[in-house]
């Protein structure tokens, strides 16, 4: 039960207060206000009227205004003073917030260490020190400091662009608002870490809320609760939630003075952050695995949830050399714990139809709870997979949930199979539009041939089009889209923007049960989205394999829709320069190039784009892209054996600086970098008049620019 709340009442006028009296009153008021906030926001049960609350807060603010030097950065008004907002602004991560590659077995970990050694060209005698840290199952955040002052906090988002949640993060006690100035603080410092809720706090919240209302019902586990709590538009709600932070990485930083990750963690502690106390320096694979085993057994006893360990190469200069792969660093890996399993029965197998027409068999299960999450469905992937494991309706199965992964059927308990079960057969007709289905050769994937006449694909496409990271049109829910589709008002994305012009729309909306006010609000939202960033439009189109990150890359490369359309028309010819350009864009490659050009080959897609271009203004993306990189645009070929680094490292350094590295020399090559004697490519370069540069010159070039 909560403590009884003392109301502070002090009628002495502020001008007559002594400094220490004011200090005491501020402190007491801060406590009282925090308690009221908790009662109001967390438990929905205020103990005082709004008037009383407002007068307490007014007194608090007045005290701070009169005695500004008494404001402590960690007091209530700084932590929860910001007014609620309506949406989060976006934040570009100057250094992308990457994910981690996973290791599931000991062999995967050994392979990681081998790859590191090979990449760096290390001999066996040189130890590779690794820092092992618990992988916290929470929400990753970025915290920016300028001269030691907290200036911006953001979510990870898609790793490239996150949401600005500064005011919410300010409310966490474990986010230092001022770094401890006894340390030498870099002018610009971005600290990354994980916000989490302890298991006990989560259960307590759920329990309290059951008594008071069902506020937390929607949060199934501590991670969701932490994430939901951070993404509140009113920071006072976040302030009332029990959130913690473990700091574990740095992002954008000026001249980092630490040489190892271990040293960095020590500095973090010195700055005032909490670093997980279980971090450990390991020198051998055996030590790493021993630590992993010890945590597997201790895992449940920890007060917070972890879903594995993260191993990071300790030396920062090695981290820099190892660099990044597409979405994850080469210098770290997540060693996951085995997912938790449960036993249940498949009651039926249904089929879901995706936006791209892919049919996926889904097992409908007798509900079971794993790690506090109720599971009633599990993916069965495709027919080939079902046939391989002979999964049938009525079977008793073991299912597993690992982290945020969709629950999987691990195995069938053959001995418990009832009589008269039948092998599974995929549907001949689409369960939504009854068009014939086809099975792709090779894979077991079945597709609906209905294309845009299939309502599942249509509404799924429309849902995707209006979704948060696409056009972000709030108020147009799935049910609305289905109704409007059925009424013939929205058949293609462009129809959304002419919705308001239908004079019978209001009566229709009212009939559909969403009221005149919400319909008007929706029109306002739609109008506001008539100006859209190029990458959002690209993502909204729902081109196969084009997720947010690829959309951003394409937008940064082609800058505007017209240039992209011209290029894609040209790229239909596989021998064209346009096709080669597309395939060579980092993160694009062959598979995506195929689906992108296929999209632009369909007349009905071009029609949709024409219609959209008439109704929305497509804003060119800011030049956040590759072109800012120092070697952008250079085409480089490496020839012969390099002496200072492996070929793989040389290639990765060049690519990370924006260059394009190819294997063969052509007239378009800008430089050939010579290692050793150079070999055949050097001869060709001479013949074509391509400049040759020595390895040392190359190294000084990248070091200067890097
Ligand atoms: S380091 C470039 N350390 O795991 C490496 N991540 O799968 C940046 N996570 O998005 C991450 N505990 O949310 C790192 N001790 C830890 C972590 C950790 C949890 C999360 C983080 C990240 C995800 C990657």
């Amino acid at each position: 039960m909560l403590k009884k709340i003392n109301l502070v009442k002090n009628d002495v006028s502020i001008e007559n207060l002594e400094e220490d009296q004011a200090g005491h009153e501020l402190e007491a008021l801060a406590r009282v206000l925090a308690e009221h906030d908790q009662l109001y926001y967390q438990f929905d049960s205020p103990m005082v009227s709004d008037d009383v609350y407002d007068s307490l807060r007014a007194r608090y603010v007045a005290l701070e205004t009169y005695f500004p030097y008494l404001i402590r950065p960690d007091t209530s008004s700084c932590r929860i003073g910001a007014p609620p907002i309506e949406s989060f602004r976006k934040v570009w991560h100057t250094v992308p917030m990457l994910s981690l590659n996973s290791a599931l077995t000991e062999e995967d970990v050994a392979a990681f260490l081998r790859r590191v050694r090979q990449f760096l060209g290390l001999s066996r005698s040189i130890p590779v020190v690794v820092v092992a840290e618990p992988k916290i199952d929470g929400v990753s955040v970025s915290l920016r400091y300028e001269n030691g002052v907290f200036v911006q906090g953001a979510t990870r988002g898609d790793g490239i662009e996150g949401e600005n949640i500064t005011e919410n993060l300010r409310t966490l006690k474990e986010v230092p608002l001022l770094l401890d100035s006894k340390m030498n603080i870099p002018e610009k410092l971005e600290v990354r870490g994980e916000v989490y809720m302890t298991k006990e706090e989560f259960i307590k919240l759920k329990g309290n809320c059951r008594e008071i209302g069902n506020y937390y019902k929607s949060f199934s586990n501590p991670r969701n609760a932490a994430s939901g709590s951070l993404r509140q538009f009113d920071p006072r709600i976040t302030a009332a939630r029990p959130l913690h932070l473990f700091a574990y990485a740095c992002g954008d930083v000026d001249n980092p003075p630490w040489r190892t990750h271990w040293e960095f963690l020590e500095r973090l502690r010195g700055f005032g952050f909490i670093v997980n106390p279980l971090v450990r320096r390991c020198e051998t694979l055996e030590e790493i695995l021993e630590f992993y085993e010890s945590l597997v057994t201790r895992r449940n006893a920890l007060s917070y949830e972890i879903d594995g360990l993260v191993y990071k190469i300790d030396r920062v200069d090695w981290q820099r050399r190892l660099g990044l792969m597409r979405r994850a660093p080469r210098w770290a890996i997540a060693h996951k714990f085995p997912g938790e399993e449960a036993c249940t029965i498949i009651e039926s197998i249904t089929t879901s139809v995706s936006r791209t027409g892919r049919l996926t068999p889904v097992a409908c299960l007798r509900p079971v709870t794993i790690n506090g999450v109720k599971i009633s469905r599990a993916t069965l992937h495709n027919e080939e997979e079902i046939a391989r494991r002979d999964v049938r309706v009525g079977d008793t199965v073991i299912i597993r949930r690992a982290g945020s992964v969709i629950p999987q059927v691990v195995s069938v308990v053959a001995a418990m199979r009832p009589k008269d079960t039948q092998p599974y057969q995929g549907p001949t007709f689409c369960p939504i539009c009854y068009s014939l289905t086809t099975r792709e050769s090779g894979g077991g994937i079945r597709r609906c041939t209905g294309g845009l006449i299939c309502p599942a694909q249509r509404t799924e496409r429309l849902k995707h089009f209006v979704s948060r990271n696409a056009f972000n049109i709030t108020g147009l829910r799935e049910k609305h889209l289905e109704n409007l589709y059925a009424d013939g008002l929205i058949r293609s994305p462009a129809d959304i923007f002419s919705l308001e012009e239908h004079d019978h729309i209001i009566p229709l909306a009212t009939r559909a049960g969403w009221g005149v006010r919400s319909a008007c609000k929706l029109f306002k939202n739609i109008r506001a989205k008539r100006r859209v960033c190029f990458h959002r439009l690209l993502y909204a189109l729902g081109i196969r394999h084009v997720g947010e990150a690829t959309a951003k890359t394409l937008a940064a490369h082609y800058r505007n829709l017209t240039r992209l359309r011209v290029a894609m028309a040209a790229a239909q010819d596989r021998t064209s320069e346009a096709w080669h350009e597309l395939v060579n864009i980092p993160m694009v490659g062959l598979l995506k190039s195929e689906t992108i050009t296929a999209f632009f080959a369909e007349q009905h897609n071009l029609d949709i784009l024409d219609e959209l271009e008439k109704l929305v203004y497509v804003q060119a993306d800011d030049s956040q892209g590759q072109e800012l990189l120092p070697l952008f645009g250079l085409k480089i070929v490496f020839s012969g054996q390099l002496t200072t680094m492996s070929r793989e490292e040389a290639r990765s350094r060049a690519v990370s600086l924006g260059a394009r590295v190819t294997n063969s020399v052509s007239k378009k090559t800008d430089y050939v970098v010579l290692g050793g004697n150079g070999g055949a490519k050097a001869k060709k370069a001479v013949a074509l008049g391509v400049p040759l540069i020595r390895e040392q010159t190359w190294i000084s070039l990248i070091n200067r620019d890097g």
Side-chain angles (χ1 to χ4, degrees):
M1 230 6 238
L2 281 163
K3 285 180 286 179
K4 195 167 177 316
I5 286 193
N6 303 310
L7 287 182
V8 175
K9 208 159 189 307
N10 193 343
D11 296 331
V12 181
S13 85
I14 289 178
E15 302 90 276
N16 298 333
L17 282 179
E18 293 295 331
E19 192 180 305
D20 60 336
Q21 288 174 303
H24 285 129
E25 196 182 333
L26 263 173
E27 206 184 305
L29 268 172
R31 217 179 35 249
V32 170
L33 283 168
E35 284 174 334
H36 283 315
D37 283 337
Q38 192 182 27
L39 280 176
Y40 184 83
Y41 291 106
Q42 191 175 319
F43 300 111
D44 268 347
S45 62
M47 276 180 64
V48 292
S49 70
D50 286 358
D51 286 350
V52 172
Y53 178 88
D54 289 346
S55 69
L56 289 171
R57 183 158 279 283
R59 171 95 181 168
Y60 186 83
V61 173
L63 277 165
E64 281 195 338
T65 318
Y66 205 81
F67 296 96
Y69 43 89
L70 290 181
I71 302 175
R72 291 202 325 260
D74 59 347
T75 61
S76 168
S77 77
C78 287
R79 289 200 178 262
I80 53 176
I85 48 164
E86 283 178 358
S87 68
F88 296 111
R89 274 175 293 127
K90 294 284 179 188
V91 169
W92 281 86
H93 298 300
T94 352
V95 176
M97 287 184 83
L98 302 165
S99 50
L100 291 167
N101 285 332
S102 297
L104 295 171
T105 62
E106 295 186 354
E107 176 43 36
D108 293 343
V109 181
F112 162 71
L113 293 176
R114 270 200 308 273
R115 272 198 309 275
V116 166
R117 279 185 175 284
Q118 196 179 0
F119 189 97
L120 297 173
L122 302 177
S123 69
R124 275 167 181 259
S125 57
I126 302 177
V128 174
V129 178
V130 159
V131 177
E133 305 175 0
K135 186 169 185 302
I136 317 298
D137 196 8
V139 184
S140 55
V141 293
S142 138
L143 308 164
R144 274 187 176 277
Y145 291 84
E146 277 170 19
N147 298 313
V149 179
F150 176 59
V151 290
Q152 186 186 71
T155 61
R156 173 175 184 272
D158 61 4
I160 295 171
E161 199 182 53
E163 285 174 325
N164 186 328
I165 52 162
T166 311
E167 298 311 325
N168 293 356
L169 283 167
R170 243 185 236 292
T171 69
L172 268 68
K173 290 205 179 58
E174 290 165 18
V175 170
L177 301 179
L178 281 176
L179 300 185
D180 194 325
S181 56
K182 286 192 285 297
M183 306 291 293
N184 185 7
I185 306 167
E187 237 175 82
K188 188 172 71 181
L189 171 69
E190 184 198 353
V191 173
R192 293 177 177 174
E194 202 85 353
V195 170
Y196 67 96
M197 201 179 267
T198 66
K199 299 185 225 177
E200 200 181 337
E201 283 161 344
F202 171 70
I203 292 167
K204 206 158 108 197
L205 275 176
K206 280 192 90 139
N208 283 338
C209 296
R210 212 166 289 136
E211 283 165 29
I212 295 162
N214 57 3
Y215 205 58
Y216 284 84
K217 218 173 125 201
S218 57
F219 295 140
S220 48
N221 55 37
R223 176 162 49 89
N224 286 350
S227 166
S229 304
L230 271 186
R231 298 192 66 259
Q232 291 292 327
F233 289 149
D234 186 342
R236 285 172 297 183
I237 303 184
T238 311
R241 307 264 171 100
L243 296 172
H244 306 271
L245 173 89
F246 280 130
Y248 53 60
C250 75
D252 195 11
V253 58
D254 273 345
N255 308 320
W258 49 85
R259 278 161 309 155
T260 61
H261 181 64
W262 191 253
E263 216 181 299
F264 166 67
L265 293 180
E266 259 162 26
R267 282 196 178 243
L268 280 179
R269 287 196 194 96
F271 289 147
F273 290 97
I274 298 182
V275 171
N276 191 292
L278 299 174
V279 293
R280 166 113 152 231
R281 250 174 120 256
C282 302
E283 299 208 357
T284 60
L285 175 64
E286 290 66 40
E287 238 181 286
I288 293 177
L289 297 178
E290 199 183 298
F291 185 50
Y292 175 83
E293 284 310 323
S294 79
L295 272 174
V296 170
T297 39
R298 270 192 290 168
R299 174 188 185 184
N300 287 334
L302 294 179
S303 64
Y304 46 87
E305 292 206 346
I306 62 174
D307 55 354
L309 292 188
V310 182
Y311 306 137
K312 302 175 182 173
I313 299 298
D314 193 31
R315 274 178 59 164
V316 172
D317 58 338
W318 284 358
Q319 288 187 3
R320 209 171 292 135
R321 281 176 59 191
L322 285 159
L324 315 174
M325 287 172 282
R326 254 183 215 172
R327 284 161 194 271
R330 213 176 261 115
W331 49 264
I333 198 155
H335 192 180
K336 294 280 183 69
F337 289 145
E340 296 220 352
E341 296 179 349
C343 189
T344 186
I345 290 174
I346 298 187
E347 293 183 328
S348 61
I349 297 179
T350 58
T351 306
S352 76
V353 186
S354 79
R355 174 164 64 78
T356 54
R358 180 188 173 136
L359 304 186
T360 306
V362 178
C364 300
L365 307 165
R366 184 167 298 168
V368 276
T369 304
I370 307 183
N371 288 353
V373 180
K374 193 165 121 196
I375 312 275
S376 53
R377 287 156 78 85
T379 176
L380 291 169
H381 302 288
N382 56 51
E383 287 162 47
E384 208 168 55
E385 192 65 15
I386 298 184
R388 194 176 61 78
R389 301 193 330 203
D390 191 18
V391 181
R392 301 183 185 192
V393 173
D395 273 345
T396 297
V397 287
I398 310 287
I399 57 164
R400 176 187 294 161
R401 178 181 166 266
S404 55
V405 181
I406 307 168
Q408 318 274 323
V409 172
V410 182
S411 59
V412 175
V413 186
M416 293 179 76
R417 172 169 289 169
K419 282 196 203 103
D420 307 327
T421 57
Q422 301 295 324
Y424 174 75
Q425 279 217 311
T428 321
F429 298 101
C430 167
I432 308 291
C433 73
Y434 309 110
S435 300
L436 261 178
T437 63
T438 55
R439 253 184 95 175
E440 282 173 10
S441 55
I445 297 171
R446 190 178 284 276
R447 285 187 190 279
C448 161
T449 56
L452 284 167
I453 66 145
C454 178
Q457 293 179 59
R458 283 268 199 168
T459 37
E460 282 301 312
R461 272 170 201 266
L462 290 169
K463 244 166 64 187
H464 174 76
F465 189 85
V466 301
S467 64
R468 193 156 62 87
N469 297 326
F471 268 73
N472 190 17
I473 298 176
T474 43
L476 204 49
R477 288 184 224 289
E478 183 170 359
K479 221 47 279 97
H480 303 147
L481 285 170
E482 274 166 15
N483 288 342
L484 290 165
Y485 180 82
D487 284 328
L489 290 177
I490 297 186
R491 290 278 152 135
S492 105
D495 296 338
I496 294 172
F497 296 96
S498 45
L499 197 59
E500 205 178 344
E501 289 158 23
H502 295 274
D503 44 9
H504 58 301
I505 184 75
I506 294 286
L508 223 145
T510 330
R511 188 152 47 86
W514 27 306
V516 179
R517 266 187 64 192
S518 50
C520 290
K521 210 165 151 199
L522 169 66
F523 297 146
K524 194 171 145 228
N525 291 347
I526 294 175
R527 263 180 263 132
K529 298 298 156 70
R530 280 181 176 247
R531 175 187 276 268
V532 68
C533 284
F534 182 30
H535 73 263
R536 280 182 175 268
L537 170 87
L538 264 178
Y539 172 67
L541 296 175
I543 304 171
R544 274 181 78 194
H545 306 304
V546 177
E548 269 194 278
T550 310
K552 281 178 188 163
T553 312
L554 287 171
H557 190 90
Y558 292 101
R559 301 262 189 77
N560 62 47
L561 185 55
T562 316
R563 286 187 52 182
L564 176 73
R565 288 185 66 166
V566 170
M568 291 309 102
Q572 300 298 327
D573 172 4
R574 297 294 189 257
T575 61
S576 66
E577 180 66 16
W579 167 258
H580 285 288
E581 184 176 336
L582 177 67
V583 176
N584 280 311
I585 300 173
M587 299 228 349
V588 176
L590 206 60
L591 174 74
K592 289 180 186 172
S593 299
E594 294 281 1
T595 56
I596 297 165
T597 44
F599 178 91
F600 285 91
E602 293 281 346
Q603 188 54 45
H604 61 84
N605 290 334
L606 301 180
D607 293 344
I608 288 176
L609 279 175
D610 288 342
E611 281 177 59
L612 277 173
E613 280 193 276
K614 282 187 217 136
L615 292 160
V616 299
Y617 172 69
V618 186
Q619 207 176 321
D621 275 37
D622 295 339
S623 56
Q624 296 268 2
Q626 291 273 313
E627 59 264 45
L628 295 180
L629 295 172
L631 301 189
F632 177 72
L634 283 190
K635 292 195 184 74
I636 289 170
V637 173
F638 289 101
S639 174
Q641 193 171 0
L642 303 175
T643 53
T644 49
M645 57 179 86
S646 68
R647 179 71 74 83
E648 199 188 351
E649 182 175 357
R651 167 184 272 273
S652 115
R653 287 287 292 278
V655 170
S656 70
L657 293 171
R660 198 186 294 169
V661 180
T662 54
N663 279 329
S664 60
V665 184
S666 78
K667 272 192 297 200
K668 292 199 172 149
T669 309
D670 290 294
Y671 293 109
V672 172
V673 181
L674 289 183
N677 294 329
K681 288 180 203 162
K683 280 199 195 116
K684 190 165 177 199
V686 174
L688 292 172
V690 174
L692 296 169
I693 55 174
R694 298 225 153 265
E695 182 177 347
Q696 277 319 314
T697 320
W698 161 253
I699 298 288
S700 57
L701 186 75
I702 56 174
N703 284 343
R704 191 185 63 220
D705 285 322

